[in-house]
Amino acid sequence: MILEKTKVLKVSKSADTKEDLQNLYFAAEIIKKGGLVVFPTETVYGLGANALDEKAVRKIYEAKGRPQNNPLIIHLSKSDDIDLYCETGKIEGLDALKALMPAPLTVILPAKPVIPSVITAGLPNVAARVPMSAAARKLIELSGVPIAAPSANLSGKPSPTCAKHVLEDMDGRADVIIDGGDCEVGVESTIITLCEEVPTLLRPGGITFEKLCSILGEVHMSHAVLESLKPGEQVLSPGMMYRHYAPERPVELVKGNRMKCVDYINTRSSKEDCAVICYDEQAPLLKCKYVLTAGSEKDNQAYASKLFSMLRDTNSLDVSYIFAFLPVDTTGISLAIYNRLLRAAGFNVKTFDD
């Protein structure tokens, strides 16, 4: 599906100027008519369509080249709207999670019949969230419908966190792109399912595992957060595919003893042109052709916010291979970085013990 022209509209972070509202109203009319609109959130840019219009939702899969077994998230303007599209009676912990919203958080709940099965990939449950972005919430409000949206990239590529990267993939594939500036969080929303006996984290993000445990008490973590899906295992939420978020060149991850990691990369880079995504602490020691720094190891939020942008930037570099440093642990936002890099590299990890 290639469109004749994609219209780009700028909207401020506050989304409250006269021009902002005019542009968002225009985009909302496209949603109402069954079109596709790319919009900013605090996490990444989303490729949106009317979630209640099955034909419109199928356009998302076509535009992205997305597998039909990969479910979508519905985006809402306020947390109370979750009750309109999900079965919420007797769901323990839901009220506590709704109190966090808007937030980089997605909750999986039993779907009401109004939700088309194309959104849920045939599953009985649906993922719902209320984005923090004022532009996103105003677009949903003006549209008058929930907006189904995965990240606004071609399937498998790194998610876009700025309008420039959206245009690389979606120019000619979406009717409208709303340019709302850079996304603050930089990785997709946390996904937790309340459809299990114990709440279960399916995808880590800006709302950390530790935060969820402090709110809900016992929370399980799906094995698929740090491992690949087992053969025949069903995809329960976005972001669980084996290889995802991947740049054009192969990626190898390094973890463990930092000096051994540096020596290994320098040895490899002496034989072929490589790029490396690392922390500030390792950058002066590396001899790769290109060194992309993500900030200090003391600030993994900076790494998260830059991660997808750096992965995309490697596509324009004259290299044959990419290395990236994994965080030293999997607590806080580091778990989300770890999860995304594992899939970007297809679980290709080299570990160096102390």
Side-chain angles (χ1 to χ4, degrees), residues 8-200:
V8 179
L9 304 171
K10 284 190 174 289
V11 172
S12 69
K13 292 288 185 184
S14 61
D16 60 358
T17 70
K18 182 179 179 180
E19 183 180 0
D20 290 341
L21 295 175
Q22 286 175 340
N23 287 340
L24 289 168
Y25 178 81
F26 180 89
E29 289 301 304
I30 297 295
I31 292 288
K32 292 177 184 179
K33 294 174 183 176
L36 298 183
V37 173
V38 174
F39 61 98
T41 77
E42 75 282 13
T43 57
V44 300
Y45 275 75
L47 175 64
N50 179 354
L52 306 182
D53 182 341
E54 182 175 342
K55 185 177 179 181
V57 173
R58 291 193 182 279
K59 291 180 183 178
I60 294 175
Y61 285 92
E62 183 181 353
K64 281 180 61 77
R66 184 182 179 90
Q68 293 286 330
N69 68 337
N70 198 359
L72 304 177
I73 295 170
I74 63 169
H75 293 67
L76 308 169
S77 62
K78 56 184 184 296
S79 60
D80 285 346
D81 287 350
I82 290 175
D83 300 301
L84 300 176
Y85 307 105
C86 305
E87 300 290 354
T88 57
K90 300 181 181 178
I91 302 289
E92 291 187 17
L94 177 58
D95 287 343
L97 295 181
K98 285 170 69 173
L100 288 177
M101 299 177 183
L105 175 66
T106 295
V107 180
I108 295 181
L109 297 159
K112 286 190 172 180
V114 69
I115 298 296
S117 62
V118 65
I119 287 178
T120 66
L123 296 169
N125 309 317
V126 66
R129 93 175 190 96
V130 181
M132 291 176 67
S133 163
R137 294 201 310 277
K138 179 57 71 172
L139 173 66
I140 300 163
E141 179 186 327
L142 292 173
S143 300
V145 293
I147 294 181
S151 54
N153 55 285
L154 294 175
S155 187
K157 293 181 67 175
S159 302
T161 55
C162 64
K164 173 189 171 185
H165 291 158
V166 170
L167 280 164
E168 290 176 1
D169 286 8
M170 290 295 128
D171 192 13
R173 294 175 180 270
D175 298 283
V176 173
I177 294 172
I178 300 173
D179 180 355
D182 293 348
C183 302
E184 295 87 357
V185 177
V187 291
E188 298 89 346
S189 61
T190 301
I191 300 180
I192 185 170
T193 178
L194 298 184
C195 297
E196 306 289 338
E197 186 174 342
V198 176
T200 302

